[in-house]
Amino acid sequence: MADTTTTPKPRLNLPGRGARKLVEAGGALVREERLTPGGELPLVVRPASADVDLADWARHNAAHVEQRLATHGAVLFRDFAVTAPVHFEQFASALCPDLFNENGEHPRRTVSGKVYTPVFYPPDKQLLWHNENSFNHQWPTRIWFGCLRPADAGGETPLADSRRVYEMIDPAVRREFEARGVMYVRNYGTGLGLDWQTVFRTDDPAEVERRCHTAGMACEWKSGGRLKTSCVRPAAVTHPRTGERVWFNQAQHWHVACLAAEDRAALTASFAPEDLPRHCYFGDGGIIEDSVMDDILAVYQELEVVFPWQRGDIVMVDNLLTAHGRNRFEGAREMLVAMGAMMTYGEVTC
Protein backbone atom coordinates (compact mmCIF):
# COMPACT_ATOMS: atom_id res chain seq x y z
CA MET A 1 0.00 0.00 0.00
CA ALA A 2 1.10 3.58 -0.49
CA ASP A 3 3.02 5.40 2.23
CA THR A 4 1.10 7.89 4.34
CA THR A 5 2.25 11.47 4.12
CA THR A 6 1.62 14.14 6.67
CA THR A 7 -0.04 17.53 6.55
CA PRO A 8 1.56 20.58 8.24
CA LYS A 9 4.76 19.75 10.05
CA PRO A 10 4.09 19.31 13.77
CA ARG A 11 6.28 20.50 16.57
CA LEU A 12 9.57 18.73 17.11
CA ASN A 13 9.59 18.40 20.89
CA LEU A 14 6.79 17.17 23.10
CA PRO A 15 6.37 17.61 26.85
CA GLY A 16 7.73 14.61 28.70
CA ARG A 17 9.30 13.14 25.58
CA GLY A 18 12.79 14.63 25.81
CA ALA A 19 14.46 14.44 22.43
CA ARG A 20 11.74 12.37 20.74
CA LYS A 21 10.47 14.26 17.73
CA LEU A 22 8.52 13.89 14.55
CA VAL A 23 10.56 14.29 11.40
CA GLU A 24 9.88 13.51 7.78
CA ALA A 25 11.67 10.49 6.36
CA GLY A 26 11.83 10.25 2.59
CA GLY A 27 8.64 12.26 2.22
CA ALA A 28 6.64 9.87 4.43
CA LEU A 29 6.39 9.40 8.16
CA VAL A 30 4.90 5.91 8.33
CA ARG A 31 4.67 2.79 6.21
CA GLU A 32 1.53 0.72 5.81
CA GLU A 33 1.49 -3.00 5.07
CA ARG A 34 -0.64 -6.10 5.38
CA LEU A 35 -0.04 -8.42 8.32
CA THR A 36 -0.36 -11.34 5.90
CA PRO A 37 -0.44 -11.33 2.09
CA GLY A 38 -3.98 -10.48 1.03
CA GLY A 39 -5.17 -10.10 4.61
CA GLU A 40 -7.29 -7.09 5.51
CA LEU A 41 -7.23 -7.42 9.29
CA PRO A 42 -5.37 -5.71 10.85
CA LEU A 43 -3.58 -3.07 8.80
CA VAL A 44 0.00 -2.66 10.08
CA VAL A 45 1.48 0.83 10.44
CA ARG A 46 5.21 1.24 11.13
CA PRO A 47 7.40 4.34 11.49
CA ALA A 48 9.62 5.28 8.57
CA SER A 49 12.09 6.72 11.06
CA ALA A 50 12.96 5.96 14.66
CA ASP A 51 12.14 9.58 15.55
CA VAL A 52 8.45 9.50 14.59
CA ASP A 53 6.30 10.45 17.55
CA LEU A 54 3.12 8.40 17.28
CA ALA A 55 0.82 10.68 19.29
CA ASP A 56 1.84 13.77 17.34
CA TRP A 57 1.54 11.96 14.03
CA ALA A 58 -1.94 10.79 15.05
CA ARG A 59 -3.07 14.34 15.85
CA HIS A 60 -2.19 15.44 12.31
CA ASN A 61 -3.53 12.31 10.60
CA ALA A 62 -6.66 11.44 12.59
CA ALA A 63 -8.91 11.50 9.51
CA HIS A 64 -6.56 9.15 7.69
CA VAL A 65 -6.52 6.73 10.64
CA GLU A 66 -10.32 6.75 10.73
CA GLN A 67 -10.48 6.00 7.01
CA ARG A 68 -8.09 3.07 7.39
CA LEU A 69 -9.98 1.83 10.43
CA ALA A 70 -13.29 1.86 8.53
CA THR A 71 -11.69 -0.22 5.77
CA HIS A 72 -9.73 -2.72 7.84
CA GLY A 73 -11.57 -2.79 11.17
CA ALA A 74 -8.34 -2.72 13.19
CA VAL A 75 -4.93 -1.08 12.88
CA LEU A 76 -1.74 -2.43 14.47
CA PHE A 77 0.82 0.27 15.26
CA ARG A 78 4.17 -1.49 15.56
CA ASP A 79 7.78 -0.40 16.25
CA PHE A 80 6.83 3.00 17.66
CA ALA A 81 8.29 2.00 21.04
CA VAL A 82 5.29 3.20 23.05
CA THR A 83 6.22 1.44 26.30
CA ALA A 84 4.94 3.91 28.93
CA PRO A 85 1.26 4.21 29.91
CA VAL A 86 1.31 8.01 29.64
CA HIS A 87 2.45 7.83 26.01
CA PHE A 88 -0.18 5.20 25.26
CA GLU A 89 -2.82 7.55 26.66
CA GLN A 90 -1.44 10.51 24.66
CA PHE A 91 -1.82 8.47 21.48
CA ALA A 92 -5.36 7.27 22.23
CA SER A 93 -6.39 10.79 23.30
CA ALA A 94 -5.00 12.25 20.08
CA LEU A 95 -7.54 10.15 18.17
CA CYS A 96 -10.35 10.23 20.73
CA PRO A 97 -10.41 13.10 23.24
CA ASP A 98 -13.40 11.62 25.10
CA LEU A 99 -11.85 8.45 26.50
CA PHE A 100 -14.31 6.60 28.72
CA ASN A 101 -13.35 5.89 32.32
CA GLU A 102 -16.48 4.72 34.15
CA ASN A 103 -17.56 1.15 33.67
CA GLY A 104 -18.57 -1.03 36.59
CA GLU A 105 -18.74 -4.04 34.28
CA HIS A 106 -14.97 -3.97 34.06
CA PRO A 107 -13.40 -2.85 37.32
CA ARG A 108 -9.69 -2.64 36.75
CA ARG A 109 -6.62 -0.88 37.96
CA THR A 110 -6.06 2.63 36.66
CA VAL A 111 -2.58 2.92 35.18
CA SER A 112 -2.59 6.47 33.84
CA GLY A 113 -5.54 8.85 33.63
CA LYS A 114 -8.08 6.94 31.55
CA VAL A 115 -5.83 3.97 30.80
CA TYR A 116 -6.43 0.69 32.59
CA THR A 117 -5.21 -2.85 32.90
CA PRO A 118 -7.55 -5.40 31.27
CA VAL A 119 -10.33 -6.90 33.35
CA PHE A 120 -9.05 -10.00 35.10
CA TYR A 121 -9.79 -13.30 33.42
CA PRO A 122 -8.02 -16.53 34.44
CA PRO A 123 -4.93 -17.07 32.27
CA ASP A 124 -5.78 -20.75 31.76
CA LYS A 125 -9.15 -19.85 30.22
CA GLN A 126 -9.83 -18.62 26.68
CA LEU A 127 -11.84 -15.41 26.42
CA LEU A 128 -14.07 -15.85 23.39
CA TRP A 129 -14.52 -13.29 20.64
CA HIS A 130 -16.87 -10.46 21.49
CA ASN A 131 -17.79 -6.87 20.71
CA GLU A 132 -17.11 -4.98 23.91
CA ASN A 133 -20.19 -4.24 26.04
CA SER A 134 -22.60 -5.06 23.22
CA PHE A 135 -24.98 -6.47 25.86
CA ASN A 136 -25.27 -2.98 27.34
CA HIS A 137 -27.28 -0.07 26.00
CA GLN A 138 -24.07 1.94 25.66
CA TRP A 139 -20.74 0.70 24.34
CA PRO A 140 -17.43 2.02 23.01
CA THR A 141 -16.87 2.31 19.28
CA ARG A 142 -13.08 2.61 19.75
CA ILE A 143 -10.76 0.39 21.79
CA TRP A 144 -6.99 0.50 22.13
CA PHE A 145 -4.89 -2.41 23.40
CA GLY A 146 -1.26 -1.77 24.24
CA CYS A 147 1.42 -4.33 25.05
CA LEU A 148 3.94 -3.51 27.76
CA ARG A 149 5.10 -7.10 28.10
CA PRO A 150 4.03 -10.11 26.02
CA ALA A 151 3.21 -13.35 27.81
CA ASP A 152 5.87 -16.04 27.89
CA ALA A 153 3.53 -18.19 25.82
CA GLY A 154 0.12 -17.47 24.30
CA GLY A 155 -1.86 -14.43 25.37
CA GLU A 156 -2.64 -13.27 21.84
CA THR A 157 -5.70 -11.11 21.12
CA PRO A 158 -7.60 -12.86 18.32
CA LEU A 159 -9.52 -10.55 16.00
CA ALA A 160 -12.51 -11.38 13.79
CA ASP A 161 -14.19 -9.24 11.13
CA SER A 162 -17.79 -8.70 12.29
CA ARG A 163 -18.85 -8.00 8.71
CA ARG A 164 -17.64 -11.42 7.62
CA VAL A 165 -19.19 -13.07 10.66
CA TYR A 166 -22.55 -11.58 9.65
CA GLU A 167 -22.12 -12.80 6.08
CA MET A 168 -21.02 -16.33 6.98
CA ILE A 169 -23.64 -17.19 9.60
CA ASP A 170 -26.36 -19.38 8.13
CA PRO A 171 -28.91 -16.97 6.58
CA ALA A 172 -31.85 -18.64 8.33
CA VAL A 173 -30.12 -18.33 11.71
CA ARG A 174 -29.16 -14.75 10.97
CA ARG A 175 -32.75 -13.82 10.08
CA GLU A 176 -34.02 -15.40 13.28
CA PHE A 177 -31.53 -13.52 15.45
CA GLU A 178 -32.24 -10.24 13.67
CA ALA A 179 -35.99 -10.69 14.07
CA ARG A 180 -35.94 -11.81 17.71
CA GLY A 181 -32.82 -10.19 19.20
CA VAL A 182 -30.89 -11.54 22.17
CA MET A 183 -32.07 -11.54 25.78
CA TYR A 184 -29.27 -11.40 28.34
CA VAL A 185 -30.23 -12.70 31.80
CA ARG A 186 -28.01 -12.20 34.81
CA ASN A 187 -28.26 -13.29 38.43
CA TYR A 188 -26.14 -11.35 40.91
CA GLY A 189 -25.29 -12.73 44.33
CA THR A 190 -24.66 -16.33 43.28
CA GLY A 191 -21.07 -16.24 44.51
CA LEU A 192 -19.81 -16.18 40.92
CA GLY A 193 -18.95 -13.03 38.99
CA LEU A 194 -19.23 -9.43 40.11
CA ASP A 195 -21.84 -8.36 42.64
CA TRP A 196 -24.44 -5.76 41.72
CA GLN A 197 -22.86 -3.16 43.99
CA THR A 198 -19.68 -3.28 41.89
CA VAL A 199 -21.40 -3.27 38.53
CA PHE A 200 -23.82 -0.46 39.35
CA ARG A 201 -21.33 1.39 41.57
CA THR A 202 -23.89 1.92 44.34
CA ASP A 203 -25.35 0.22 47.41
CA ASP A 204 -28.76 1.80 46.86
CA PRO A 205 -31.38 -0.54 45.34
CA ALA A 206 -33.45 2.46 44.21
CA GLU A 207 -30.49 3.78 42.25
CA VAL A 208 -30.03 0.37 40.66
CA GLU A 209 -33.66 0.39 39.57
CA ARG A 210 -33.27 3.88 38.13
CA ARG A 211 -30.22 2.87 36.13
CA CYS A 212 -31.86 -0.30 34.89
CA HIS A 213 -34.84 1.71 33.66
CA THR A 214 -32.55 4.20 31.89
CA ALA A 215 -30.61 1.37 30.23
CA GLY A 216 -33.73 -0.52 29.11
CA MET A 217 -33.26 -3.38 31.58
CA ALA A 218 -35.80 -5.23 33.71
CA CYS A 219 -34.77 -5.96 37.28
CA GLU A 220 -36.12 -8.23 40.00
CA TRP A 221 -35.04 -8.40 43.64
CA LYS A 222 -34.77 -11.88 45.08
CA SER A 223 -34.28 -13.18 48.60
CA GLY A 224 -31.07 -12.31 50.38
CA GLY A 225 -30.62 -9.04 48.49
CA ARG A 226 -29.90 -10.85 45.25
CA LEU A 227 -30.67 -9.16 41.94
CA LYS A 228 -31.81 -10.55 38.60
CA THR A 229 -31.68 -8.42 35.46
CA SER A 230 -32.66 -9.03 31.88
CA CYS A 231 -32.49 -6.97 28.72
CA VAL A 232 -33.10 -7.48 25.03
CA ARG A 233 -30.54 -6.15 22.57
CA PRO A 234 -30.10 -6.43 18.80
CA ALA A 235 -28.02 -9.23 17.34
CA ALA A 236 -26.78 -7.12 14.43
CA VAL A 237 -26.55 -3.43 13.54
CA THR A 238 -25.63 -1.24 10.60
CA HIS A 239 -22.29 0.50 10.93
CA PRO A 240 -23.00 4.25 11.04
CA ARG A 241 -20.06 5.15 8.80
CA THR A 242 -19.70 2.29 6.33
CA GLY A 243 -23.39 1.32 6.06
CA GLU A 244 -22.46 -2.37 6.37
CA ARG A 245 -24.31 -4.89 8.51
CA VAL A 246 -22.22 -6.31 11.34
CA TRP A 247 -22.79 -9.15 13.79
CA PHE A 248 -22.83 -7.31 17.11
CA ASN A 249 -23.75 -9.26 20.22
CA GLN A 250 -22.25 -11.37 22.99
CA ALA A 251 -24.38 -14.49 22.85
CA GLN A 252 -21.24 -16.63 22.82
CA HIS A 253 -20.15 -14.97 26.08
CA TRP A 254 -23.42 -15.67 27.85
CA HIS A 255 -24.75 -18.95 26.46
CA VAL A 256 -23.77 -21.92 28.64
CA ALA A 257 -23.12 -24.03 25.53
CA CYS A 258 -20.05 -21.89 24.85
CA LEU A 259 -18.41 -22.58 28.20
CA ALA A 260 -15.63 -25.09 28.63
CA ALA A 261 -17.15 -28.52 29.29
CA GLU A 262 -16.03 -28.68 32.91
CA ASP A 263 -17.33 -25.18 33.67
CA ARG A 264 -20.68 -25.88 32.08
CA ALA A 265 -21.06 -29.14 34.00
CA ALA A 266 -20.29 -27.41 37.29
CA LEU A 267 -22.76 -24.57 36.67
CA THR A 268 -25.65 -26.69 35.43
CA ALA A 269 -25.19 -29.03 38.39
CA SER A 270 -25.38 -26.11 40.82
CA PHE A 271 -28.06 -23.87 39.31
CA ALA A 272 -31.45 -24.23 37.66
CA PRO A 273 -31.47 -22.63 34.17
CA GLU A 274 -33.32 -19.55 35.42
CA ASP A 275 -30.76 -19.05 38.24
CA LEU A 276 -27.56 -19.32 36.22
CA PRO A 277 -25.17 -16.41 36.85
CA ARG A 278 -25.39 -15.62 33.13
CA HIS A 279 -27.35 -17.04 30.25
CA CYS A 280 -29.00 -15.79 27.08
CA TYR A 281 -32.08 -16.53 25.01
CA PHE A 282 -33.77 -15.15 21.96
CA GLY A 283 -35.32 -11.79 22.70
CA ASP A 284 -38.79 -13.31 23.16
CA GLY A 285 -37.45 -15.79 25.72
CA GLY A 286 -37.10 -18.67 23.29
CA ILE A 287 -34.27 -21.17 23.70
CA ILE A 288 -31.18 -20.73 21.54
CA GLU A 289 -30.18 -24.27 20.68
CA ASP A 290 -26.67 -25.42 21.54
CA SER A 291 -26.11 -26.46 17.93
CA VAL A 292 -26.81 -22.90 16.76
CA MET A 293 -24.15 -21.54 19.09
CA ASP A 294 -21.73 -24.26 17.96
CA ASP A 295 -22.16 -23.10 14.36
CA ILE A 296 -21.62 -19.45 15.31
CA LEU A 297 -18.45 -20.31 17.20
CA ALA A 298 -17.21 -22.21 14.15
CA VAL A 299 -17.59 -19.06 12.04
CA TYR A 300 -15.53 -17.03 14.48
CA GLN A 301 -12.92 -19.75 14.62
CA GLU A 302 -12.61 -19.80 10.85
CA LEU A 303 -12.30 -16.03 10.58
CA GLU A 304 -10.04 -15.22 13.54
CA VAL A 305 -6.70 -13.56 12.93
CA VAL A 306 -4.01 -14.22 15.53
CA PHE A 307 -0.57 -12.67 15.84
CA PRO A 308 1.97 -12.64 18.69
CA TRP A 309 2.21 -9.45 20.67
CA GLN A 310 5.46 -7.48 20.62
CA ARG A 311 6.49 -5.03 23.31
CA GLY A 312 5.24 -1.56 22.35
CA ASP A 313 2.49 -2.79 20.01
CA ILE A 314 -0.82 -0.93 19.98
CA VAL A 315 -3.94 -2.25 18.28
CA MET A 316 -6.79 0.18 17.62
CA VAL A 317 -10.11 -1.57 17.06
CA ASP A 318 -13.44 -0.40 15.68
CA ASN A 319 -15.65 -2.25 18.17
CA LEU A 320 -18.50 -2.54 15.67
CA LEU A 321 -16.39 -3.86 12.81
CA THR A 322 -14.12 -6.17 14.77
CA ALA A 323 -14.60 -8.63 17.61
CA HIS A 324 -11.72 -9.50 19.89
CA GLY A 325 -10.83 -12.18 22.43
CA ARG A 326 -7.87 -13.38 24.47
CA ASN A 327 -6.00 -16.66 24.26
CA ARG A 328 -4.72 -18.63 27.23
CA PHE A 329 -1.26 -17.67 28.36
CA GLU A 330 1.65 -18.52 30.61
CA GLY A 331 3.90 -16.18 32.56
CA ALA A 332 3.49 -12.48 33.15
CA ARG A 333 1.46 -10.49 30.62
CA GLU A 334 1.18 -6.71 30.93
CA MET A 335 -1.40 -4.96 28.79
CA LEU A 336 -3.06 -1.55 28.64
CA VAL A 337 -6.62 -0.75 27.56
CA ALA A 338 -8.39 2.48 26.65
CA MET A 339 -11.91 2.93 25.28
CA GLY A 340 -13.89 5.83 23.92
CA ALA A 341 -16.32 7.34 21.39
CA MET A 342 -19.33 5.89 23.21
CA MET A 343 -22.54 5.12 21.35
CA THR A 344 -25.95 3.64 22.14
CA TYR A 345 -28.36 1.42 20.23
CA GLY A 346 -30.54 4.47 19.76
CA GLU A 347 -27.87 5.95 17.50
CA VAL A 348 -27.57 3.05 15.05
CA THR A 349 -29.88 1.16 12.73
CA CYS A 350 -30.66 -2.25 14.20
Side-chain angles (χ1 to χ4, degrees), residues 250-327:
Q250 288 187 217
Q252 64 275 8
H253 259 205
W254 290 63
H255 200 288
V256 292
C258 302
L259 294 171
E262 62 275 16
D263 295 335
R264 179 180 184 178
L267 282 175
T268 54
S270 302
F271 299 99
E274 64 273 14
D275 294 325
L276 286 165
R278 290 194 187 204
H279 196 25
C280 69
Y281 306 85
F282 283 116
D284 55 12
I287 299 296
I288 302 175
E289 298 294 336
D290 293 2
S291 59
V292 170
M293 295 309 306
D294 290 342
D295 290 345
I296 291 173
L297 290 181
V299 171
Y300 277 105
Q301 185 68 62
E302 181 177 348
L303 290 175
E304 76 166 7
V305 175
V306 181
F307 58 90
W309 282 109
Q310 296 180 16
R311 186 171 184 264
D313 280 354
I314 299 176
V315 170
M316 180 180 180
V317 172
D318 182 313
N319 189 37
L320 287 159
L321 296 179
T322 303
H324 68 275
R326 194 219 66 197
N327 285 346

Side-chain angles (χ1 to χ4, degrees), residues 170-248:
D170 180 274
V173 170
R174 187 174 64 222
R175 286 192 296 270
E176 189 166 23
F177 268 92
E178 288 190 295
R180 302 170 74 181
V182 180
M183 177 187 290
Y184 301 96
V185 179
R186 187 167 182 173
N187 283 284
Y188 299 86
T190 62
L192 297 174
L194 301 173
D195 57 31
W196 60 263
Q197 292 90 340
T198 298
V199 171
F200 289 93
R201 304 183 299 283
T202 182
D203 295 320
D204 183 1
E207 177 63 12
V208 170
E209 293 172 8
R210 186 191 69 79
R211 293 186 185 179
C212 285
H213 177 75
T214 300
M217 299 173 64
C219 64
E220 172 190 351
W221 294 102
K222 304 170 75 172
S223 63
R226 294 176 298 132
L227 172 67
K228 181 175 184 176
T229 63
S230 63
C231 59
V232 178
R233 309 297 189 205
V237 300
T238 299
H239 192 279
R241 174 167 180 168
T242 71
E244 298 164 291
R245 292 293 283 175
V246 296
W247 193 249
F248 190 72

